[in-house]
Amino acid sequence: TPGQYVLPRSSVVATKEFVEARMTLALPARGRSIEGYRAAEIVGEGLKQAVHSALRYEALDKAALKAHIEAVVDQDALRKQLDAKGLCAFVGNGSVLPRKSGVDDRPMTKADEPNLVLFASPATMEVSIDLPHAGTVRGMGIKKGISLIIGGGFHGKSTLLQALQVGVYDKVKGDGRELVSCDPAAVKIRAEDGRYIQ
């Protein structure tokens, strides 16, 4: 199902030569017999309309498509620069880290929470990174090694960690975490309460 992440999928294959969409289709039937005329309508007209509205460039919002592609290219470029800068992660200033809810991965908005706080890097950890489309962006660079995140209750520690753990993935434009990136080899390790990790 569609979500906030840009992931390789086997349901659509796009090359310079063609776009191939793979799907299953439930045809209307009566008992063990397919209803041929209704099936022909679905395949002949319904499927044709779906293909024209979803897969043809002329039917797409060209500005939104361009913005999406540029956002993904920038995220890939950001991730590729981390190692050379001695960083394991980066969180861009202005990023929206909180999500709408525990079951809704879309970004929280001011309408959801009037006191929403956008991410701002501590001055001591702020770095600049140049991206192909967004230009120079500033944010918190997390250096390789051990970093501690401390703070009181409801100060955003878990929210920051949750954003970092998905920093290995590209996000759709408007997700709010487009400038949150981690080393592609990063993994999340969590100890049970009272136990430590060696």
Side-chain angles (χ1 to χ4, degrees):
T1 56
Q4 297 299 103
Y5 309 111
V6 180
L7 303 170
R9 298 181 186 271
S10 59
S11 57
V12 176
V13 176
T15 71
K16 290 182 180 180
E17 291 80 33
F18 65 88
V19 174
E20 176 182 318
R22 302 167 183 170
M23 68 190 90
T24 58
L25 190 61
L27 297 175
R30 184 168 295 165
R32 296 177 55 102
S33 300
I34 298 293
E35 294 186 15
Y37 291 114
R38 287 184 55 212
E41 275 181 34
I42 292 169
V43 174
E45 290 304 316
L47 187 57
K48 181 179 172 184
Q49 289 174 3
V51 167
H52 280 277
S53 64
L55 297 178
R56 293 181 58 94
Y57 179 73
E58 303 82 49
L60 302 176
D61 179 338
K62 291 153 192 63
L65 178 61
K66 183 176 186 277
H68 170 75
I69 292 169
E70 289 177 352
V72 171
V73 168
D74 279 348
Q75 291 172 69
D76 185 57
L78 171 57
R79 197 170 292 109
K80 287 178 177 172
Q81 292 182 57
L82 294 176
D83 188 52
K85 292 185 175 286
L87 303 175
C88 65
F90 177 86
V91 183
N93 289 339
S95 293
V96 180
L97 304 185
R99 303 291 91 191
K100 279 191 178 289
S101 74
V103 295
D104 188 342
D105 204 32
R106 292 176 299 162
M108 184 180 284
T109 65
K110 289 278 190 184
D112 301 319
E113 173 54 61
N115 297 319
L116 174 67
V117 176
L118 302 181
F119 183 82
S121 173
T124 56
M125 298 179 74
E126 195 166 80
V127 297
S128 296
I129 296 184
D130 294 322
L131 300 178
H133 300 288
T136 302
V137 295
R138 297 190 62 75
M140 179 174 71
I142 301 175
K143 293 183 179 174
K144 294 178 181 181
I146 297 174
S147 297
L148 296 176
I149 301 173
I150 58 172
F154 299 97
H155 283 188
K157 300 178 302 296
S158 295
T159 302
L160 174 60
L161 287 172
Q162 288 165 357
L164 288 170
Q165 80 183 22
V166 295
V168 296
Y169 303 117
D170 295 328
K171 274 65 120 220
V172 297
K173 178 76 174 164
D175 173 78
R177 299 170 296 184
E178 297 96 316
L179 295 178
V180 178
S181 188
C182 282
D183 181 313
V187 294
K188 175 185 176 182
I189 300 174
R190 182 175 181 169
E192 294 178 21
D193 289 344
R195 301 182 72 181
Y196 64 94
I197 297 170
Q198 281 186 311

